[in-house]
Amino acid sequence: MRHQKLSYRMTPGDEVEDMYILLNEVKRQIPSVTAVSSGAIASDYQRLRVESVCSRLGLVSLAYLWKQDQSLLLQEMITNGINAITVKVAAMGLEPGKHLGKEIAFLDLYLHKLKESYGINVCGEGGEYETLTLDCPLFVNARIVLDEFQVVLHSADSIAPVGVLHPLAFHLEYKAGSASLTGSRESENSIQEKTGLVFEVQGECPQNSEAMCLPVAEVTDSVEVTDNRLNISRTKKDSTFSICCWLQETQKTSAGLLDDLRVVLKQIESKLVRYGFDWGHVLYIHLYISDMNEFAVANETYVKFITHEKCPRGVPSRSTIELPLLEVGLGKAYIEVLVANDQSKRVLHVQSISCWAPSCIGPYSQATLHKEVLQMAGQLGLDPPTMTLCNGGPTVELEQALQNSEAVAKCFNCSISTSAIYFVVYCSTYVASSERLKIQEKLDAFLKQMRVWHFEERSMSKVLDPIFLFVLASNLPKSALVEIKPILYVTDDSETVSETVQDLSCMKAPSHWGFQHANWHESCFQKCVVHEKICAVILSITCEIAARICSESLDASQSKDCQTSQADGGMGRLSRFCIYLLNKIIVENNFSWEDVTNLRLYFPTSLSMPMVTLSAIFSSAFDELAVMNPRMKIDGDSIFNLVPVLGAGRSATMDDIITCELFAQKS
C-alpha cells in the first residue's frame, strides 16, 4: 500500500516506512547521527516524506538544494566533478537505447534543449530521469566502474518510453595516492575545504513525535482559573474571525508561564469547539509571552495543543514576541488566533534546513494562504543554511528577513514588493533609538529597489502601495533585533494586482459624538483598499493629535480632562475619536464592521494604565456606537484586541498614544 496524497501520514507497507526502519536502525547503531540530508530540489512530495520520518525520529532534515535554480545546480555538479550516469529515463525526448548510461556532463546541452521544447526539469526533479553517481569529490579513495549492465524497457510508449539501466557487475578503481578504502584524514579534510559546502547547523532537534502527539486530555491538566481573570474577545465576521484570550493577573493568582499558557490555549480550544471548529481551522496564531527566556517552555506547551494530526491540511503560521504583559496587569501568556470556517487554506510548511528560507521545525508554518490573503509567519534575519542571526546590526537583520520573506512569497507566485497590503515590523527594545529610523529607511529602500527590478523584468503595471506598522517589543526570538510580518494579497488568476480607486462622493459616514470631518483627520491614518474586497487601516494617535482632539472637545469639562491626564476622561475622548474615524473609513469604503477580521489596539506601558481599565473604556465607546448604529451588532465578547507594547506607530519613532490596526475582508 502506498500513501498517494501530498502530505504524508504513516501508512504500513509504504516505502516511506522502509526509510523509517532504515534510519531508525542507523540511529540505534550510530547515536551521534542527528540529521538526514536529502537532494530534494522542488518536489514537495519527496521533501514532506523525508520530513515526516525525521520528525518521528527526532532528526533534522537538511535539504540544501531546495528551491535552487536547476540549471545552476546541474552546472555546479558538473564543474565540481560529479560523474553521474542516467540509470532511468522517462520523459519526452529521452530514449532508453540512446540516453541510458550517459554522463550528465554529456547530456547537459540536450537537457536544456528539452527544457526549452517541453519544459522538463534539467535536474530530473519531475522524474524525467534518475542517476547513479560513479565518482565525486566525496569519493576520496576510489571510483565505481561499471563492467556490465542491462537495459530493461518498462514502457515502449511512442512519446515517452521508460527504460532502466540494471547494473550486473562493477569494480572499484582506486585513485592516485590512495592505498586503501580507509583513506587519509588529511585527504578528507582537504576535500571539505575545497568544496566549502559544510555548514555548522545550530539549533535544537524537534521533540520525538510520540511526545508531540499526546491527547489533549493528557497535556492540559486543569489549572484552576476564575472567570473574572479570563478575558475573551472575538470579531463578528462569520467566515473569518479572530479570537483573543488573556488573563488578568494579581499577586494572589500569579502563576508561571506554563500554567498561564495552558489556560489561554485551553480557553481558545474550548471556544473553537463551541463554534464547531478545531485547531485545523486556525490560519494564524499570535503568541505573546512575558519573558522570551522561557520561549522553550512556551514552545513545549504549544506543541502539545497544536499538532500535525489535528491540522491535516497544515499547521497555522505563527508570530511570537515578548511584550510587557505583567506591567499592565496581565498573566504571562496571551494568545490571538485567526480562524476560518472552511478548510480551503493552503499552507507552506518546510521543516528542512536549506539555503532557501528559514525552516520551521515543529507545528508552525512559513505562510498560510486563505481567500487571497497570505499571512506570513514572523520572519527574523536568519541565515537559512545555518539558522543563525546575521551579524551587522538591525538593518542587516532586516534585509535578510526581507529576503527570507521574498523567498516565501515566490512560492505563491507573488512578491513582497508588489503584493504586500501592509507590513508589521517588530523592533526589539535593544535597538538604539538612533538606529530605529534607519530600519524604516532600509525597508523603504529595499522595497523600492525590488519594485524597480519587477517593473524592468516583468513590465508590471501599478502595484499595491503598502502601509506600515512599527511595534517596539520587549524582546524577540533568538534575541533578534528585528522581526517582520508581511500580509499579502495573492490573486487567484493572472490579473495584475492594482490598488482600487473608488468614487466615494456618495458614501458619507454619519457623525458620532459630535465629531465633524476635518482635513487634518487624513493625517491620522494610512489605508490600503484592494478591489473593494480588502480594507486595511493603520490609525495613529500621537501626542500632538491627542492634544488637537481634546482642544476640539464638545465642552470645557472634556477639554480639561484631556489636558490634565490621559486617564479616564481624556482616554475616553480619544477612544471615541478612534472608533469614529475607523467607522468613517469603513463606511466610506463600502465595508461594515461585520467584515472586520481583526482589530488590534496597541498602547504603550508609558500610559501607566491597567489593561482592564483601557479595555473598559474602549468597550464603553463601542457600546455607545452600537446604540447610535442599530445595524452594528455587539453582544457578549469585545470585538477588539488590546496589545500592550513599549511603543507603536506608523513610523519607526513608535511614539503613539494609541495605534489601531484594522483588517476587513468581504466574503
Side-chain angles (χ1 to χ4, degrees):
M1 180 182 293
R2 186 175 183 181
H3 193 278
Q4 300 286 352
K5 293 183 179 179
L6 182 61
S7 60
Y8 179 76
R9 305 188 76 172
M10 189 169 63
T11 305
D14 192 285
E15 62 183 0
V16 176
E17 299 310 309
D18 295 336
M19 179 169 59
Y20 174 86
I21 294 170
L22 174 63
L23 291 177
N24 192 37
E25 181 62 17
V26 169
K27 188 177 178 182
R28 186 186 69 82
Q29 294 191 29
I30 313 174
S32 60
V33 170
T34 59
V36 172
S37 181
S38 67
I41 301 173
S43 171
D44 285 306
Y45 188 90
Q46 178 189 109
R47 174 184 60 78
L48 289 168
R49 277 148 179 76
V50 175
E51 289 177 353
S52 173
V53 171
C54 287
S55 178
R56 291 157 59 190
L57 291 173
L59 297 170
V60 173
S61 172
L62 306 177
Y64 289 115
L65 305 186
W66 183 248
K67 294 295 181 183
Q68 299 297 303
D69 183 277
Q70 293 191 41
S71 294
L72 294 179
L73 281 178
L74 183 61
Q75 187 58 49
E76 186 176 354
M77 285 185 273
I78 295 170
T79 302
N80 281 277
I82 294 179
N83 180 15
I85 62 170
T86 52
V87 292
K88 179 181 178 180
V89 293
M92 186 181 298
L94 291 177
E95 301 175 21
K98 186 176 181 180
H99 297 114
L100 278 173
K102 296 296 188 289
E103 297 179 5
I104 56 173
F106 176 81
L107 294 173
D108 182 17
L109 294 177
Y110 185 65
L111 291 172
H112 280 87
K113 181 180 178 181
L114 294 182
K115 177 187 175 183
E116 294 297 322
S117 300
Y118 308 121
I120 75 160
N121 296 277
V122 295
C123 284
E125 188 68 0
E128 293 88 348
Y129 67 90
E130 305 288 347
T131 60
L132 170 66
T133 299
L134 301 179
D135 193 16
C136 71
L138 292 178
F139 293 4
V140 178
N141 302 291
R143 62 181 61 86
I144 302 171
V145 178
L146 282 183
D147 298 318
E148 186 179 354
F149 61 84
Q150 176 185 7
V151 173
V152 179
L153 191 64
H154 278 200
S155 169
D157 186 270
S158 59
I159 298 177
V162 179
V164 175
L165 184 150
H166 180 58
L168 298 176
F170 68 92
H171 72 273
L172 296 180
E173 182 179 277
Y174 293 111
K175 297 182 178 180
S178 175
S180 68
L181 286 176
T182 58
S184 65
R185 178 61 60 185
E186 291 77 10
S187 178
E188 180 179 336
N189 289 339
S190 67
I191 292 294
Q192 290 184 355
E193 290 173 4
K194 180 180 178 181
T195 60
L197 296 177
V198 179
F199 297 94
E200 180 184 356
V201 177
Q202 298 183 8
E204 298 180 358
C205 296
Q207 297 293 323
N208 190 296
S209 62
E210 286 144 4
M212 296 170 65
C213 304
L214 292 173
V216 173
E218 297 180 31
V219 300
T220 57
D221 300 333
S222 61
V223 179
E224 292 295 330
V225 57
T226 56
D227 289 342
N228 60 356
R229 282 188 64 207
L230 284 169
N231 291 266
I232 304 286
S233 64
R234 180 195 186 277
T235 51
K236 302 306 178 185
K237 187 176 176 65
D238 291 329
S239 58
T240 310
F241 57 90
S242 61
I243 310 175
C244 173
C245 181
W246 49 272
L247 297 173
Q248 181 181 349
E249 194 60 275
T250 67
Q251 290 183 347
K252 292 182 180 180
T253 60
S254 180
L257 174 64
L258 179 62
D259 287 342
D260 282 358
L261 185 54
R262 281 179 177 175
V263 169
V264 293
L265 283 168
K266 185 60 179 175
Q267 289 299 319
I268 293 290
E269 188 172 65
S270 298
K271 278 283 185 180
L272 289 171
V273 172
R274 189 178 307 171
Y275 298 138
F277 304 132
D278 54 33
W279 290 110
H281 290 84
V282 175
L283 307 175
Y284 202 97
I285 296 179
H286 285 87
L287 174 59
Y288 306 132
I289 58 178
S290 62
D291 186 355
M292 194 57 71
N293 292 324
E294 295 189 83
F295 177 78
V297 173
N299 222 30
E300 288 175 8
T301 304
Y302 178 93
V303 300
K304 292 174 182 176
F305 281 83
I306 296 93
T307 67
H308 296 282
E309 288 70 26
K310 295 178 184 177
C311 306
R313 292 183 176 271
V315 289
S317 303
R318 189 182 80 178
S319 173
T320 304
I321 61 174
E322 178 186 323
L323 292 179
L325 304 180
L326 302 181
E327 289 85 334
V328 294
L330 300 191
K332 296 182 178 180
Y334 179 160
I335 289 282
E336 178 191 332
V337 300
L338 183 64
V339 186
N341 69 351
D342 60 30
Q343 294 281 358
S344 63
K345 66 180 181 181
R346 175 187 164 197
V347 173
L348 176 65
H349 185 202
V350 179
Q351 298 185 72
S352 299
I353 295 175
S354 68
C355 297
W356 163 70
S359 64
C360 287
I361 302 176
Y364 33 91
S365 60
Q366 278 89 355
T368 302
L369 176 64
H370 182 258
K371 304 293 186 184
E372 299 183 315
V373 176
L374 183 65
Q375 304 275 352
M376 202 176 294
Q379 289 289 335
L380 305 179
L382 292 172
D383 176 48
T386 62
M387 290 296 288
T388 56
L389 287 169
C390 296
N391 296 321
T395 55
V396 175
E397 285 190 26
L398 173 68
E399 183 170 9
Q400 183 64 58
L402 289 168
Q403 290 173 357
N404 295 339
S405 300
E406 179 68 5
V408 173
K410 284 182 178 178
C411 293
F412 295 87
N413 299 315
C414 63
S415 169
I416 61 171
S417 66
T418 58
S419 302
I421 302 169
Y422 68 100
F423 292 87
V424 179
V425 182
Y426 298 111
C427 298
S428 168
T429 187
Y430 298 107
V431 177
S433 300
S434 59
E435 294 291 316
R436 293 171 191 170
L437 286 177
K438 294 180 182 178
I439 291 175
Q440 184 172 357
E441 292 169 358
K442 184 67 175 181
L443 176 59
D444 292 340
F446 184 93
L447 294 176
K448 183 178 180 180
Q449 183 179 4
M450 284 193 65
R451 204 170 288 129
V452 169
W453 180 85
H454 278 286
F455 279 131
E456 292 176 348
E457 294 294 319
R458 304 183 184 184
S459 302
M460 299 184 73
S461 59
K462 185 179 179 182
V463 299
L464 291 181
D465 186 14
I467 57 181
F468 302 91
L469 169 63
F470 294 84
V471 176
L472 188 61
S474 305
N475 203 353
L476 299 173
K478 294 182 177 287
S479 297
L481 298 176
V482 180
E483 178 177 330
I484 191 161
K485 186 186 68 171
I487 294 88
L488 280 63
Y489 175 69
V490 181
T491 54
D492 286 335
D493 50 37
S494 58
E495 179 185 4
T496 301
V497 179
S498 61
E499 188 173 9
T500 298
V501 179
Q502 298 173 294
D503 179 9
L504 305 178
S505 58
C506 61
M507 292 182 281
K508 297 295 183 182
S511 296
H512 295 306
W513 297 294
F515 291 113
Q516 299 295 329
H517 172 74
N519 290 333
W520 64 268
H521 290 179
E522 302 292 326
S523 66
C524 298
F525 64 88
Q526 293 177 324
K527 69 176 181 178
C528 181
V529 180
V530 186
H531 295 321
E532 300 185 17
K533 298 178 181 179
I534 293 169
C535 179
V537 182
I538 305 296
L539 172 60
S540 179
I541 304 298
T542 62
C543 290
E544 294 75 15
I545 291 175
R548 189 160 190 174
I549 294 169
C550 292
S551 68
E552 296 181 3
S553 296
L554 291 178
D555 55 60
S557 62
Q558 287 177 320
S559 179
K560 182 178 179 181
D561 283 334
C562 288
Q563 293 169 0
T564 56
S565 72
Q566 296 297 344
D568 299 358
M571 187 53 68
R573 186 66 177 165
L574 296 183
S575 68
R576 291 177 178 87
F577 178 80
C578 289
I579 296 171
Y580 153 75
L581 198 50
L582 288 174
N583 184 68
K584 183 174 184 291
I585 297 168
I586 288 173
V587 172
E588 291 187 348
N589 286 279
N590 200 25
F591 287 81
S592 72
W593 284 99
E594 285 69 34
D595 296 320
V596 174
T597 62
N598 64 263
L599 172 59
R600 299 185 190 95
L601 310 177
Y602 299 88
F603 71 100
T605 53
S606 59
L607 283 182
S608 301
M609 181 177 292
M611 186 142 151
V612 289
T613 302
L614 193 59
S615 179
I617 291 172
F618 272 92
S619 294
S620 176
F622 270 108
D623 289 340
E624 292 171 11
L625 179 65
V627 172
M628 293 181 282
N629 183 1
R631 292 189 302 172
M632 183 177 181
K633 297 179 181 179
I634 297 182
D635 49 355
D637 300 333
S638 302
I639 66 170
F640 59 87
N641 302 337
L642 279 172
V643 184
V645 294
L646 297 178
R650 290 180 295 152
S651 73
T653 56
M654 295 176 281
D655 55 2
D656 287 3
I657 295 175
I658 291 289
T659 309
C660 306
E661 174 195 353
L662 181 145
F663 190 89
Q665 183 178 15
K666 291 183 179 179
S667 300

